[in-house]
Amino acid sequence: HHEPAVPACAADTTKPWCLKDDEYPTYEIKHAAETHYEKLLSLYADVADLDTSLSVERPKILEEETYLCPSETAYVKPLRAINTEGKWRVIVNDIEVHYETLTQTTRIEECLTSGYACPLVPECYESKCLQKSIHHRFLVYDAYDQYFPFAIETFTLPASCACLLGAYTIDH
């Protein structure tokens, strides 16, 4: 018995992650987490120390912000996602173990006009909005590893939206 290549939660989204998952194995993860508590905590500590709220310096007031390319920013707690090897994985999130809740939150920023010319940039410059990504490490649960069903794996997530400028051209 193996998980389907694409989980049911991915049916309603084009994104490589699920924030809602009706088939999320909460009970199985909790049970495995209690069984392997000590070893799991040392792995979790490796990813939990990454406080995403501190990782991005933000202006205090919105008037200070000007972006060349429009984007949408969110703090998310994915339940499943596609890892850098192209496989859907179950991410440990909102799991209570020994009075502690294991959560993994990350900041994502998605370009709204990826591939299109940057607004506010004169047409004499070749420009386009570009989705930039970052590798993020998450603690995952693998039901088929009977010895230790937890691991840290890498996922590619959208991190920022940049404006790529080409050469200056003068059309006569």
Side-chain angles (χ1 to χ4, degrees):
H1 171 71
H2 270 85
E3 301 246 343
V6 178
C9 68
D12 300 336
T13 183
T14 56
K15 300 183 190 305
W17 65 83
C18 295
L19 301 179
K20 291 184 173 61
D21 184 358
D22 294 333
E23 297 173 358
Y24 190 72
T26 305
Y27 175 79
E28 293 88 337
I29 296 172
K30 265 178 117 155
H31 179 72
E34 285 168 5
T35 306
H36 303 283
Y37 185 66
E38 298 295 321
K39 198 171 171 189
L40 171 63
L41 272 193
S42 68
L43 263 190
Y44 177 68
D46 193 35
V47 290
D49 288 341
L50 307 171
D51 184 355
T52 53
S53 64
L54 300 175
S55 66
V56 179
E57 213 29 69
R58 296 190 61 87
K60 302 289 179 263
I61 51 172
L62 277 170
E63 289 79 47
E64 292 177 34
E65 292 192 40
T66 304
Y67 293 104
L68 285 175
C69 293
S71 66
E72 209 167 72
T73 302
Y75 285 85
V76 297
K77 292 194 275 188
L79 297 175
R80 291 184 201 248
I82 298 175
N83 67 12
T84 50
E85 293 172 11
K87 294 184 173 71
W88 278 95
R89 307 298 276 157
V90 174
I91 296 173
V92 176
N93 239 327
D94 287 333
I95 299 294
E96 277 188 45
V97 194
H98 298 297
Y99 308 105
E100 184 178 0
T101 304
L102 307 181
T103 59
Q104 300 179 89
T105 304
T106 190
R107 178 192 181 277
I108 58 168
E109 183 179 332
E110 295 178 277
C111 276
L112 298 177
T113 57
S114 191
Y116 291 94
C118 307
L120 308 174
V121 174
E123 285 181 26
C124 58
Y125 289 95
E126 184 189 331
S127 73
K128 73 174 171 185
C129 293
L130 191 66
Q131 178 68 62
K132 306 279 272 186
S133 297
I134 193 168
H135 287 296
H136 196 89
R137 296 164 64 232
F138 284 121
L139 176 64
V140 298
Y141 170 73
D142 180 2
Y144 303 103
D145 187 332
Q146 57 213 19
Y147 300 106
F148 186 64
F150 298 101
I152 291 176
E153 293 184 7
T154 309
F155 298 80
T156 304
L157 295 172
S160 64
C161 192
C163 178
L164 181 69
L165 289 178
Y168 177 74
T169 55
I170 300 173
D171 296 324
H172 291 290

